[in-house]
Amino acid sequence: MSTAIAPTPAEAVSTPRSASLFERAQQVLPGGCSRNAILRKPHPLYAREASGYLVTDVEGVERIDFANNMTSQIHGHAHPLITEAVSRQLSRGTAFSFGTEIEIEYAEQLVERSRGFERIRFVNSGTEAVMACLKAARAFTGRAKIAKVEGAYHGLYDYAEISQTANPSNWGSSDRPSVNPVAYGTPQGVLDDVVILPFNEPDTALDLLDDYRDSIACVLVDPMPHRAGVIPATPAFIAALRSWTAANGALLVFDEVITFRSAFGGAQDWFDAVPDLTALGKMIGGGFPIGAIAGRADVLEVMNPLAPKLLFPHSGTFSANPVSMAAGLTAMTFFDRASVDGLNELADYARTQLTDAIAAARVEACIAGGGSMLKLHFRASAPRTYREAYESAPRLRAIEVFLNLLLEDGIILINSGAMAFSTPMRRETIDRLTEAVLKALRTMRPDIERLTASGD
Ligand code: PMP
């Protein structure tokens, strides 16, 4: 018997302006887009404008935004202080072949923010930040191999994306995960230099790392990988990676492109361990493109063009452009300790409310997450590892239906079913979310029961 869920009204709903824009888009953009994250069936929705936590589409329909451009809009949309700072900068020029004071000011602020940030270098995206961390680790250690966690998304750099889409047909045994390319044509040499670690399995990870003791430049880990179900790394996993890297001349690299929002100094504040390097992005741009590499001064010295020997030449036409600096500096100035704590408290409130909604709807589901993010799983308890969190086709379909029901009800989530909160939100905003989730879960109850019974 098929467990596939029938189309929902949202999938049939007529949104003529977005439909026709998608038609046009497909004539000039492969798949009609420049980023796959906007896609949904039957077509993406196109935005007209946004303010605070509300986004209005081209039909004029307003919805509450819990996606926040994939977690990056920490203060929601068009925040007046960010708009003012950016407007001021726009009228003064947007990019020069001179330095700007605002780059220094922003670097000084970020360096104050986290224990491990002694030096910082700005780039333009999270992909670029992760790439630069890996290249810096190689230059510093003189080693080639990168160890990374199965299923974790770190952007598009060849080495960082390996096994990001691992699935039961190719992931191999759990104590020796396969090394799977994502893009066709990935050179064999790349695969040979990547070691895949199982998430939150410290003993297995250490066994694997020991096999490559003398050739690992760094271990790259996201402290709460989105693709692994928005589940925090366990302290034992991080402690194992920290002590192994320190003992074996390798570096520990955190990808905090998403998780930096989780605590004042990033999710690394959750652990005793301090990483050697951290990749940043998303929210530190205040709504504009950005990335940054932060970490130990002696490691980042490999990028110092004034050093007697430059080990890692690095540049970028728009790196540290003053518009991203102005937006980022303003956004992070207002994401101070009180603001971080307030947002995390709001997320705690949401976790409680949504857990109550799941109980009231009498469906098998749970809430995972940490800091100001969470994700609803159609499982009795939160998964612990990437393989436990893996969403089979029927589960993906259930998430799709859930997203569509919420969309119909005026709520936007991240396309995995995850949610990221923004500072303009209040408890009433969460109450609106809870109400919509309860309604969607009640509608989906027979489907969820079938999903649970099927064992998919
Ligand atoms: N790392 C993580 C954890 C991410 O979530 C992302 C983007 N979703 C990236 C890196 C890449 O960042 P960007 O899209 O800015 O290149």
Side-chain angles (χ1 to χ4, degrees), residues 35 70-71 124-130 152-156 222 224-227 255-259 279-282 290-291:
R35 54 192 298 227
M70 303 298 281
T71 78
N124 293 293
S125 68
T127 290
E128 222 185 316
V130 170
Y153 183 78
H154 298 289
L156 296 181
D222 179 332
M224 188 167 68
H226 181 204
R227 296 271 174 95
D255 179 345
E256 292 232 46
V257 168
I258 284 187
T259 58
L280 300 170
K282 294 205 198 272
I290 205 167

Side-chain angles (χ1 to χ4, degrees), residues 320-377:
N321 75 80
V323 179
S324 293
M325 295 294 106
L329 174 63
T330 310
M332 294 306 282
T333 302
F334 292 102
F335 199 48
D336 57 9
R337 284 182 192 279
S339 179
V340 175
D341 291 347
L343 197 60
N344 288 347
E345 273 163 29
L346 193 72
D348 287 340
Y349 176 70
R351 279 184 271 272
T352 309
Q353 296 294 95
L354 292 173
T355 303
D356 289 351
I358 289 167
R362 290 182 292 121
V363 294
E364 192 166 285
C366 69
I367 301 294
S372 53
M373 284 197 68
L374 54 84
K375 175 176 164 158
L376 185 140
H377 288 267

Side-chain angles (χ1 to χ4, degrees), residues 29-82:
L29 301 161
C33 64
S34 296
R35 54 192 298 227
N36 303 348
I38 71 159
L39 292 178
R40 64 177 286 277
K41 285 184 202 131
H43 55 73
L45 295 180
Y46 288 81
R48 184 162 79 198
E49 61 191 351
S51 174
Y53 56 70
L54 294 173
V55 175
T56 307
D57 72 14
V58 285
E59 321 289 334
V61 179
E62 202 175 72
R63 297 182 179 85
I64 305 179
D65 187 10
F66 291 96
N68 282 302
N69 189 29
M70 303 298 281
T71 78
S72 66
Q73 306 290 77
I74 196 82
H75 296 303
H77 302 275
H79 190 287
L81 293 170
I82 299 177

